[in-house]
Amino acid sequence: MSCIYTVTLNPSLDYTVSVENFRLGYTNRTATELLTVGGKGINVSTVLQNLGLDSTALGFVAGFTGQEAARQLAERGIGNGLIFLDKGLTRINVKLQSVEGTEINGQGPDISGEKFALLEERLSELAAGDVLFLSGSIPASLPEDTYLRMMERLAAGVLTVVDVSGEGLVKTLPLHPFLVKPNHHELGEIFGVTLEQRASVLPYAEKLQEMGARNVLVSMAGQGAVLLAEDGSVFESPVPEGRLVNGVGAGDSMAAGFVAGWLEKRDYEHAFYMGVAAGSATAFSEGLASGEEIRELYRRVREASAD
Ligand SMILES: Nc1ncnc2c1ncn2[C@@H]1O[C@H](COP(=O)(O)OP(=O)(O)OP(=O)(O)O)[C@@H](O)[C@H]1O
Ligand SMILES: [Mg+2]
């Protein structure tokens, strides 16, 4: 049995509030409030858990907010591989629901070389067949090639999933990540082009593959997704019908769904549609999608793709 690990270098506690009639420059009061652990790797772990797959969350936390993050992980049934820093505070990200897309994100603690070495030690324990997700931006206290350095620690045969934008992604390609999942903006940015249609992404997915990626899954928000698989096969899909509720974490859900599907059947088509279903199921729900929501949407997506 393979073990799954996710990395979140800079987790957060997300303080999600709604305020009626929000007014800038005045004291506002919340109508609802929620404090939940966040971060892209932790989103992946949560969706995997919802699909019945155990994983361990790796990363760095600090202070009392870090303790709360670890407590909430345990509550979700996710393995705790977080390294505690001696100084600083896991960040609090304020998300103002009433004013569409408004957030104030904290910086998070500095990660010392000594603590980073502890993470590298953990990584060297992973074995062939294990899966490692590297998700999200690199905090300012670490170099841009941090994911590359982490991948250099891995034993042969560990499957890596890299979900980060720009140079952070490009630098990992020579080490042959199993899956990269740029969205169309991130893919376009790498090559200095604007990509709007599913039909136009394939040449750029091919370039990432030539540069070393094994499977390239390009997500396009409401436009669906395109997979260029390792064996050269190509799958594309529009999004299933549904009402957008909250697109945050759709990309993380898609990466989790793809890997869950791959581990189930070792079949790229199944993995692709599990990714599409998981991404859209999260877009159609308040938080991250449940396992039932994903499986139900998967059935619908497959029926549509058979037409
Ligand atoms: N508005 C939407 N309606 C239906 N499905 C969606 C929508 N937005 C996203 N999805 C599904 O989720 C997948 C991933 O979404 P998206 O391309 O927005 O990822 P992302 O930009 O990496 O998101 P994030 O990094 O915030 O998790 C899409 O390919 C699609 O299948
Ligand atoms: Mg993303």
Side-chain angles (χ1 to χ4, degrees), residues 213-231:
R214 291 172 58 187
N215 293 285
V216 181
L217 177 56
V218 183
S219 70
M220 307 188 72
Q223 299 270 70
V226 178
L227 171 71
L228 172 59
E230 185 168 27
D231 62 3

Side-chain angles (χ1 to χ4, degrees), residues 32-254:
T32 63
E33 52 195 21
L34 211 62
L35 191 67
T36 48
V37 64
K40 298 182 82 62
I42 289 169
N43 290 345
V44 171
S45 278
T46 303
V47 174
L48 289 172
Q49 193 68 31
N50 293 351
L51 286 168
L53 291 171
D54 289 334
S55 69
T56 299
L58 304 171
F60 301 97
V61 288
F64 77 99
T65 46
Q67 274 161 8
E68 174 62 10
R71 190 192 68 77
Q72 290 196 17
L73 276 189
E75 210 171 57
R76 291 183 190 184
I78 297 166
N80 179 358
L82 297 171
I83 293 162
F84 264 88
L85 304 168
D86 303 323
K87 278 190 294 212
L89 203 62
T90 285
R91 62 194 172 141
I92 295 175
N93 291 344
V94 180
K95 306 199 182 282
L96 190 50
Q97 262 188 336
S98 344
V99 189
E100 185 54 52
T102 305
E103 302 188 1
I104 303 175
N105 288 356
Q107 289 173 20
D110 283 351
I111 298 156
S112 65
E114 195 188 327
K115 294 290 183 181
F116 188 75
L118 289 179
L119 177 61
E120 289 183 307
E121 253 171 60
R122 280 301 306 268
L123 294 175
S124 63
E125 293 162 11
L126 273 58
D130 288 351
V131 183
L132 176 68
F133 286 82
L134 302 168
S135 313
S137 55
I138 313 286
S141 60
L142 292 175
E144 205 176 38
D145 65 352
T146 291
Y147 286 156
L148 171 71
R149 286 170 50 190
M150 290 168 66
M151 285 168 69
E152 283 169 346
R153 288 292 168 147
L154 299 171
V158 175
L159 302 179
T160 51
V161 179
V162 183
D163 183 4
V164 63
S165 59
E167 274 303 290
L169 172 64
V170 170
K171 286 200 157 79
T172 65
L173 298 178
L175 290 185
H176 307 297
F178 172 70
L179 177 70
V180 297
K181 196 225 64 67
N183 63 33
H184 54 308
H185 301 298
E186 293 162 339
L187 181 63
E189 200 178 276
I190 291 171
F191 298 106
V193 294
T194 306
L195 301 170
E196 298 293 353
Q197 313 290 328
R198 284 199 304 282
S200 56
V201 309
L202 190 57
Y204 299 97
E206 281 167 348
K207 282 183 203 269
L208 290 188
Q209 211 174 47
E210 280 159 22
M211 290 157 77
R214 291 172 58 187
N215 293 285
V216 181
L217 177 56
V218 183
S219 70
M220 307 188 72
Q223 299 270 70
V226 178
L227 171 71
L228 172 59
E230 185 168 27
D231 62 3
S233 51
V234 177
F235 301 95
E236 62 158 307
S237 174
V239 295
E241 246 173 71
R243 191 175 69 86
L244 173 68
V245 176
N246 177 4
V248 176
D252 309 327
S253 302
M254 173 169 251

